[in-house]
Amino acid sequence: MSDSTDVPPGTAPEPDLAPEPVARTLDGLVPGLGPDGRPRPDAPLVAVTGVTGYVGGRLVPELLAAGYRVRALARHPDRLRGRPWYDDVEVVAADAAEPEQIRAALAGTDVAYYLIHSLGTGRTFEERDRHTAQTFADAARATGVGRIVYLGGLSPQGETLSPHLASRTEVGEILLASGVPTTVLRAAVILGSGSASFEMMRYLTERLPAMTVPKWVSNRIQPIAIRDVLRYLVGSAAMPPDVSRAFDIGGPDVLTYREMMQRYARIAGLPRRIIVPVPVLSPRLSSLWVSLVTPVPGGLARPLVESLVHEVVCDEHDVAALVPDPPGGLVGFDRAVRLALARVQGASVSTRWSSAAAPGAPSDPLPSDPEWAGGSLYVDERRVLVDASPAALWRVVEAVGGERGWYSWELAWRARGLVDRVVGGPGLRRGRRDPARLLIDDAVDFWRVEQIEPGRVLRLRAEMRLPGLAWLELRVEPVEDVDADTRDDRVGSGDDATWDPAAWRRAPVVFAQRALFHPHGLAGQLYWWAVYPFHGVVFGGMQRNVARAAERAERARSDLRRDGG
């Protein structure tokens, strides 16, 4: 399809909304699948870090489709459960910054992908990036890894770089100096559904028909579609041993940021935007402005903005000699935007920028009750009988947040989200990856999914700025006096039991809701008692409205069955 075709999204969806794997255009470079459609037992084994992130989560299925065996490395492997590829890979618990852990994880691998960076994680990110890269490089050399592949940032030569861009460059240099053949791919703006760069551009353009902008909007940029990034990453695994260098990668279009916003507006069917550059907006002020207008928080917006201060255009295209361009050419800007919008509208976004944890957010799971002995754990617990099937109630529970909201005092939720953004938290604008389905580690506004047992339990961990740790737990439970056959109709046993909505059909059911808070110091104690009077309105209203929504859905389903019968 020609990039010059102007088709507003939704009127003529792209035919390759679910495109074939990038390996289909890499014949001769990748191992290919065995007769059973799976990687062969003797296929090269590749280790992938950053699998919970935006790029890593998309790279894994592409590597599998190319015929590689994959070892997915994660600090918290349980957070990968529910990924469509989970059962097809070897999952290993490892922290890339811990020498012993990463050496054990890389042992026996042929290729190691380094997709880790500390974008927007605070003032010590440079030291952390340096240490982690050096530890990884040493482990790769010690374990005999055949190649390291790293996705870094495109940066101009001879200019003073922003701290984050300089750190990305330094990481590439550390890996290249490891003694292991290394491929460093340097990309500028990555265009794809769910990428931070795309979301920033999308929301700025959609929400601001007129805007004053920094002078850097006139700098030239060479964006690249996520599909082409993945293709280069997969193809890099097969580079010859004597190749160890950095490659610039970019799409076919070189545009200014202003041109990118105007072309986005045209493709999205929006009027032409009024964009007035002014010289007084510093990167810091620009990032604050971006964080207010878009879902991207200030801690992430600032390094993205700082990278746009430079002109980022490829100086060479040498990678094509080793990973040839696809037969139809690289994906242009217009087509990349149409594909991304089609995925957003079709609710088929597989990973998002928010897949990674928010900088500075608590990550400790809810401990078992005995560990809290002697400490404070405040609990607001509510239970209500719902005249609906467990399946109907679960569908409402799993869809909370995002566009549907939180089923209670909307003004209070919005105010809390605004306060959170002002103090540096994610607020409510992260939304959801999928409007109906959740996976462990998905972001849901200022919460993150810590535990999900389909049909039974959803536990969310707060990532808002708080003087303590907070969780919201939503449970679907059987009524105590139902018959034993219904109560015992579940899959598994003990703590791992999960209720099967397909088998457990009878109404009524219990909707149990717990809000838990572990205060930090006096500030935490004061916070709990300050917000406690509003719990009846916020959490009580949420429980009542979720129950009513489930009952309405159940009645609608019953009416549909009756009309159909």
Side-chain angles (χ1 to χ4, degrees):
M1 180 177 292
S2 169
D3 279 343
S4 62
T5 304
D6 184 10
V7 182
T11 60
E14 287 281 353
D16 56 351
L17 175 59
E20 62 183 10
V22 298
R24 297 291 173 83
T25 60
L26 291 172
D27 289 340
L29 281 180
V30 298
L33 298 171
D36 60 352
R38 300 170 59 86
R40 293 178 173 86
D42 60 346
L45 176 62
V46 300
V48 184
T49 61
V51 290
T52 59
Y54 175 71
V55 175
R58 298 192 179 201
L59 177 61
V60 169
E62 295 288 356
L63 288 168
L64 290 169
Y68 289 103
R69 293 180 297 135
V70 175
R71 180 179 293 170
L73 279 54
R75 285 180 295 176
H76 305 287
D78 285 347
R79 295 180 181 176
L80 299 179
R81 294 186 184 277
R83 302 300 195 274
W85 41 260
Y86 181 83
D87 293 331
D88 299 320
V89 304
E90 178 187 355
V91 178
V92 174
D95 185 338
E98 296 295 329
E100 292 185 6
Q101 292 184 27
I102 195 61
R103 277 198 299 269
L106 294 182
T109 59
D110 300 287
V111 181
Y113 284 87
Y114 189 83
L115 302 176
I116 300 170
H117 60 81
S118 303
L119 190 67
T121 57
R123 298 179 180 178
T124 61
F125 76 92
E126 293 165 292
E127 180 181 346
R128 183 164 52 253
D129 274 349
R130 186 180 304 117
H131 169 73
T132 305
Q134 189 63 63
T135 301
F136 186 90
D138 293 342
R141 183 177 61 251
T143 56
V145 170
R147 175 165 298 278
I148 297 172
V149 182
Y150 168 60
L151 179 61
L154 188 61
S155 59
Q157 301 295 319
E159 294 187 21
T160 302
L161 302 178
S162 68
H164 282 86
L165 210 50
S167 180
R168 301 288 290 275
T169 301
E170 182 186 19
V171 167
E173 292 170 348
I174 290 172
L175 298 175
L176 284 167
S178 64
V180 177
T182 298
T183 301
V184 174
L185 301 175
R186 300 187 299 203
V189 171
I190 296 178
L191 299 173
S193 57
S195 79
S197 297
F198 177 76
E199 292 291 282
M200 187 171 84
M201 178 185 66
R202 178 164 78 100
Y203 280 92
L204 286 175
T205 308
E206 290 183 352
R207 291 180 173 175
L208 298 175
M211 64 191 95
T212 57
V213 294
K215 59 183 180 180
W216 51 254
V217 297
S218 298
N219 290 344
R220 295 186 308 151
I221 303 164
Q222 191 166 354
I224 183 170
I226 181 62
R227 179 170 177 80
D228 288 329
V229 172
L230 294 170
R231 190 172 181 279
Y232 285 130
L233 285 168
V234 173
S236 293
M239 286 187 177
D242 60 343
V243 175
S244 187
R245 55 163 290 188
F247 297 92
D248 293 351
I249 59 172
D253 301 313
V254 176
L255 306 164
T256 66
Y257 203 82
R258 185 200 319 222
E259 290 171 334
M260 289 168 59
M261 287 193 289
Q262 295 290 18
R263 287 174 72 163
Y264 176 92
R266 176 173 57 83
I267 294 166
L270 301 170
R272 184 174 177 82
R273 280 14 209 166
I274 300 172
I275 301 174
V276 181
V278 295
V280 295
L281 286 176
S282 66
R284 182 176 181 277
L285 290 175
S286 298
S287 63
L288 292 175
W289 163 64
V290 167
S291 70
L292 288 174
V293 176
T294 79
V296 182
L300 181 56
R302 182 163 184 175
L304 292 176
V305 167
E306 288 175 340
S307 67
L308 297 173
V309 171
H310 308 283
E311 288 208 335
V312 279
V313 178
C314 297
D315 290 329
E316 42 83 11
H317 189 49
D318 297 349
V319 70
L322 298 162
V323 185
D325 290 347
L330 300 172
V331 179
F333 178 86
D334 289 10
R335 183 162 178 250
V337 168
R338 286 197 298 271
L339 286 170
L341 285 175
R343 284 189 172 276
V344 170
Q345 294 176 349
S348 57
V349 179
S350 56
T351 62
R352 295 181 73 220
W353 61 270
S354 58
S355 299
S363 59
D364 293 338
L366 178 65
S368 58
D369 290 341
E371 296 185 30
W372 293 97
S376 297
L377 181 64
Y378 294 122
V379 180
D380 182 295
E381 188 163 8
R382 300 166 188 269
R383 294 165 63 86
V384 66
L385 194 67
V386 183
D387 188 17
S389 67
L393 177 56
W394 178 253
R395 280 194 292 271
V396 177
V397 167
E398 193 177 10
V400 296
E403 294 294 329
R404 285 185 174 85
W406 294 90
Y407 291 91
S408 65
W409 191 10
E410 183 178 357
L411 179 61
W413 285 96
R414 288 185 177 276
R416 185 63 185 89
L418 179 60
V419 170
D420 190 54
R421 290 185 70 83
V422 169
V423 297
L428 294 176
R429 290 183 179 170
R430 290 191 305 188
R432 295 170 51 111
R433 176 190 57 83
D434 184 287
R437 298 295 304 278
L438 289 175
L439 299 172
I440 290 178
D441 233 25
D442 268 356
V444 184
D445 295 329
F446 46 46
W447 305 90
R448 187 168 297 275
V449 179
E450 178 175 284
Q451 179 186 2
I452 183 167
E453 298 178 25
R456 185 184 178 194
V457 180
L458 173 63
R459 181 188 296 154
L460 304 172
R461 182 182 67 250
E463 290 191 335
M464 67 193 84
R465 301 295 185 184
L466 287 170
L469 303 173
W471 296 267
L472 178 62
E473 188 175 83
L474 310 176
R475 287 181 173 268
V476 179
E477 298 178 348
V479 180
E480 292 298 328
D481 61 355
V482 299
D483 62 272
D485 289 338
T486 301
R487 188 170 57 249
D488 293 335
D489 190 5
R490 49 183 159 175
V491 178
S493 60
D495 293 337
D496 294 328
T498 56
W499 293 90
D500 182 358
W504 183 37
R505 300 174 184 273
R506 304 179 187 179
V509 67
V510 171
F511 175 38
Q513 177 182 292
R514 286 201 307 168
L516 305 102
F517 183 68
H518 174 55
H520 288 169
L522 179 60
Q525 302 277 349
L526 294 175
Y527 175 83
W528 172 262
W529 293 114
V531 300
Y532 185 77
F534 301 99
H535 280 196
V537 177
V538 175
F539 292 126
M542 177 181 178
Q543 186 178 55
R544 289 190 298 273
N545 291 328
V546 165
R548 289 168 184 165
E551 290 172 345
R552 285 196 301 270
E554 184 70 24
R555 287 195 297 271
R557 190 174 66 167
S558 299
D559 292 344
L560 184 63
R561 284 200 305 266
R562 185 167 53 252
D563 293 342

